[in-house]
C-alpha cells in the first residue's frame, strides 16, 4: 500500500505530465495552424513569425526567473502562475482575433511553459530517490515529444474535417484544466540538499568547472535535437520522404525511448547514456544528409533514438552531480539550451541559404537544387552531435573515478 507521501508525489508527477502536454500541444497546434491564422487575419509572414517568436521568448524568461525564486516562493506558486498564464493565453488565442492579442497570447503561453520546466524538474528531483528520480525525469520529458505527436495528429484530423484556425485551440484547455485540478491543494517536497535551497549555494555550485562544462554540452544537445527537427520538413521535402511522417515517427520514438530511460541510466549511467546518444544522433543526422526515399525513415529512427535522452538526462545530470545548484541550476541549464537554440537556428538558416547559392552556382535548379542544398546543410549539422561525442567522452573519464558522494557530499540519502 502506498504512503500518503508517495501518493502526493505521484499526483504531482501526473500533474507535471499534463502541464508538459499543454506545452507540447501549444507547440504542435500553433505550428499546425499558423498558416491558417495568417490567412484568416491577413497577416504578413513577418507578423506570423513574430507571433511564433513570442512563444520562444516567454519560455526561457520564466524558466530562469522561476529557478531564481523556486525555493523562495515554492513550486506551488510558480505552477499557479503557469496555470493562469496558460489559461488566459489560450482564451486570448481563441477570442482576441487580432495581431496584438495573438502576440500577448503566445507570450503568456511561453511564460506558462517555462514555469512548467522551472517548477516540475526540481520537484521530481526532490520527490524521488536515486535511479527512480532519473526514471521519472525521463518519463516526465517523454510527454513533450509524445504531446507533439498527439497534438499534430489531432490538429491534422481537425483540419481535414474543416475545424480550422483558432477553433483548434480549444484542445489546449483540456490538459490545462487537468493539471490545474491535479496540483490543487497539494504540498510540494522540500529540497534534498540544504545548499540547494539557498541562492548563495546555488550560485556557488554553478561557478564550478563541472557546471560550466555541462552548460556547454547542453547548448550542443539542444541544437542537436531541435536543429534538425526544425528544418527536416524543408530539407527533406524533395527527398521522396514525407516530412510529416518523419516528424511524427521521430516524436513517437522519442516518447517511447524516454519511457524506458530510467532502465538505460541504471545500466549505463547518465554520461554513458549521453555518450551513446551522441553517437546515434551523429549517425542519424549523417544519414539524413546522404539518404533519400525509404532510407530517410531509417535515418529518422536512428536520429530519434539518439536525441531522445539528451534533454532529460542533461537535467538529471545537474540534479545528481551538481545538486547544490538546485532548481536554479536546472533552470539555467535548460535556459542555456533554449537560448543556444534560438541563436543557432538563425545560423542554420544562413547555412541553407549559402548551400542553395552554391548548388545554384553549380548549375542545379528546382527539386534537385533543394535536395542537394538541404542535404549539405544536414551534413554540416552533424558537427553538433559529433562534437558531443568528444565532450561526453571527456566527461565520462572526468567522473569515472568519482562516486556521487565525492561530487555531492551533502546529498547522501
Amino acid at each position: 500500500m502506498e504512503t500518503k507521501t508517495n501518493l502526493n508525489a505521484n499526483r504531482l508527477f501526473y500533474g507535471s505530465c499534463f502541464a508538459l502536454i499543454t506545452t507540447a500541444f501549444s507547440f504542435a497546434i500553433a505550428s499546425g495552424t499558423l498558416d491558417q491564422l495568417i490567412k484568416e487575419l491577413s497577416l504578413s509572414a513577418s507578423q506570423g513569425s513574430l507571433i511564433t517568436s513570442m512563444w520562444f521568448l516567454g519560455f526561457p524568461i520564466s524558466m530562469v526567473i522561476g529557478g531564481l525564486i523556486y525555493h523562495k516562493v515554492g513550486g506551488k506558486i510558480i505552477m499557479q502562475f503557469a496555470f493562469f498564464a496558460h489559461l488566459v493565453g489560450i482564451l486570448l488565442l481563441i477570442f482576441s482575433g487580432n495581431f496584438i492579442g495573438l502576440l500577448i497570447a503566445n507570450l503568456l503561453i511561453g511564460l506558462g511553459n517555462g514555469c512548467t520546466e522551472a517548477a516540475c524538474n526540481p520537484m521530481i528531483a526532490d520527490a524521488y530517490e536515486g535511479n527512480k528520480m532519473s526514471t521519472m525525469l525521463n518519463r516526465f520529458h517523454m510527454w513533450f515529444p509524445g504531446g507533439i505527436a498527439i497534438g499534430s495528429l489531432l490538429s491534422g484530423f481537425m483540419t481535414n474535417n474543416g475545424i480550422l484556425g483558432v477553433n483548434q485551440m480549444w484542445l489546449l484547455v483540456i490538459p490545462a484544466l487537468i493539471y490545474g485540478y491535479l496540483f490543487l491543494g497539494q504540498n510540494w517536497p522540500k529540497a534534498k540538499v540544504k545548499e540547494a535551497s539557498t541562492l548563495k549555494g546555488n550560485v556557488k555550485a554553478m561557478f564550478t568547472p563541472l557546471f560550466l562544462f555541462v552548460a556547454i554540452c547542453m547548448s550542443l544537445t539542444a541544437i542537436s535535437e531541435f536543429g534538425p527537427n526544425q528544418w527536416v520538413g524543408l530539407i527533406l521535402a524533395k527527398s521522396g520522404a514525407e516530412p510529416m511522417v518523419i516528424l511524427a515517427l521521430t516524436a513517437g520514438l522519442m516518447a517511447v525511448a524516454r519511457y524506458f530511460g530510467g532502465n538505460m541510466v541504471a545500466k549505463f549511467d547518465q554520461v554513458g547514456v549521453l555518450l551513446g546518444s551522441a553517437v546515434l544522433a551523429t549517425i542519424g543526422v549523417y544519414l539524413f544528409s546522404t539518404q533519400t526515399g525509404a532510407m530517410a525513415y531509417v535515418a529518422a529512427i536512428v536520429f530519434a533514438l539518439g536525441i531522445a535522452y539528451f534533454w532529460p538526462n542533461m537535467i538529471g545530470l545537474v540534479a545528481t552531480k551538481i545538486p547544490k545548484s538546485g532548481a536554479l541550476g536546472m533552470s539555467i541549464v535548460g535556459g542555456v539550451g533554449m537560448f543556444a537554440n534560438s541563436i543557432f537556428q538563425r545560423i542554420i538558416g544562413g547555412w541553407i541559404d549559402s548551400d542553395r547559392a552554391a548548388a545554384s552556382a553549380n548549375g542545379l535548379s528546382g527539386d534537385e537544387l533543394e535536395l542537394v542544398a538541404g542535404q549539405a546543410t544536414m551534413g554540416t549539422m552533424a558537427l553538433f552531435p559529433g562534437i558531443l561525442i568528444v565532450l561526453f567522452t571527456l566527461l565520462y573519464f572526468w567522473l569515472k573515478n568519482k562516486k556521487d558522494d565525492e561530487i555531492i557530499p551533502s546529498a547522501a540519502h
Side-chain angles (χ1 to χ4, degrees):
M1 183 176 180
E2 289 186 286
T3 66
K4 185 176 180 180
T5 301
N6 287 336
L7 289 171
N8 171 258
N10 290 338
R11 178 164 173 160
L12 289 173
F13 174 75
Y14 297 139
S16 300
C17 292
F18 277 102
L20 196 57
I21 289 171
T22 306
T23 296
F25 272 25
S26 72
F27 181 85
I29 295 173
S31 297
T33 60
L34 180 60
D35 186 54
Q36 298 169 26
L37 289 174
I38 288 174
K39 291 176 180 177
E40 287 177 10
L41 301 177
S42 300
L43 303 176
S44 68
S46 296
Q47 288 174 314
S49 65
L50 186 58
I51 290 171
T52 302
S53 71
M54 290 297 102
W55 191 96
F56 289 100
L57 176 64
F59 204 120
I61 288 174
S62 59
M63 188 187 302
V64 173
I65 293 175
L68 281 168
I69 65 175
Y70 180 87
H71 290 295
K72 191 74 173 177
V73 305
K76 184 176 182 179
I77 298 295
I78 294 173
M79 283 311 300
Q80 286 174 348
F81 176 79
F83 179 73
F84 168 81
H86 274 146
L87 201 58
V88 173
I90 293 165
L91 293 176
L92 268 176
L93 277 180
I94 296 170
F95 294 112
S96 66
N98 60 72
F99 174 63
I100 300 298
L102 291 175
L103 284 178
I104 298 171
N106 274 274
L107 179 61
L108 283 171
I109 290 174
L111 291 172
N113 296 340
C115 284
T116 296
E117 283 277 338
C120 296
N121 282 321
M123 182 278 293
I124 294 169
D126 289 330
Y128 298 97
E129 303 283 346
N131 189 61
K132 180 72 170 176
M133 183 267 289
S134 294
T135 298
M136 301 311 276
L137 272 175
N138 273 281
R139 290 184 179 178
F140 166 56
H141 284 282
M142 71 173 270
W143 287 110
F144 187 69
I148 289 176
I150 296 169
S152 297
L153 291 173
L154 289 173
S155 178
F157 175 79
M158 294 175 78
T159 299
N160 292 336
N161 286 274
I163 304 174
L164 305 175
V166 295
N167 291 324
Q168 294 188 19
M169 301 301 174
W170 284 106
L171 279 175
L172 299 174
V173 176
I174 299 172
L177 291 177
I178 292 174
Y179 89 72
Y181 168 74
L182 289 172
F183 283 137
L184 188 64
Q186 298 300 299
N187 294 319
W188 284 55
K190 296 184 183 300
K192 290 176 186 173
V193 183
K194 184 179 179 181
E195 292 90 336
S197 63
T198 65
L199 180 59
K200 182 179 178 181
N202 296 160
V203 174
K204 185 178 179 181
M206 287 190 296
F207 279 95
T208 59
L210 181 58
F211 185 88
L212 296 174
F213 188 88
V214 169
I216 292 171
C217 292
M218 184 60 166
S219 67
L220 290 170
T221 59
I223 193 58
S224 294
E225 176 179 342
F226 290 106
N229 264 334
Q230 190 78 16
W231 295 94
V232 71
L234 176 65
I235 289 172
L236 295 181
K238 308 303 180 183
S239 72
E242 175 52 54
M244 290 309 296
V245 175
I246 294 285
L247 291 173
L249 179 62
T250 301
L253 281 174
M254 286 177 66
V256 173
R258 285 181 179 179
Y259 181 82
F260 296 102
N263 297 332
M264 298 296 292
V265 172
K267 189 170 183 178
F268 299 108
D269 188 65
Q270 284 161 332
V271 181
V273 169
L274 288 167
L275 177 56
S277 296
V279 172
L280 288 175
T282 303
I283 295 171
V285 178
Y286 174 75
L287 288 174
F288 275 141
S289 74
T290 58
Q291 303 301 310
T292 59
M295 279 302 295
Y297 301 108
V298 176
I301 293 171
V302 176
F303 175 68
L305 294 176
I307 64 173
Y309 297 125
F310 275 158
W311 193 279
N313 285 294
M314 290 303 297
I315 299 295
L317 192 67
V318 175
T320 57
K321 308 299 185 187
I322 324 168
K324 292 180 184 179
S325 66
L328 180 60
M330 285 182 270
S331 294
I332 291 294
V333 163
V336 165
M338 279 292 181
F339 181 70
N341 191 58
S342 67
I343 292 174
F344 278 115
Q345 287 293 346
R346 293 193 291 271
I347 293 173
I348 292 170
W351 288 345
I352 291 176
D353 290 337
S354 177
D355 289 330
R356 278 178 175 158
S360 179
N362 288 329
L364 301 179
S365 61
D367 290 354
E368 188 179 15
L369 182 148
E370 295 296 331
L371 177 59
V372 169
Q375 289 195 324
T377 303
M378 275 291 183
T380 307
M381 276 195 271
L383 286 171
F384 296 126
I387 294 171
L388 282 169
I389 295 175
V390 177
L391 294 182
F392 286 139
T393 300
L394 292 173
L395 186 60
Y396 177 81
F397 287 107
W398 186 351
L399 300 177
K400 183 178 180 181
N401 297 317
K402 290 186 178 183
K403 298 178 181 177
D404 280 357
D405 59 359
E406 290 179 314
I407 301 169
I408 48 172
S410 306
H413 303 313

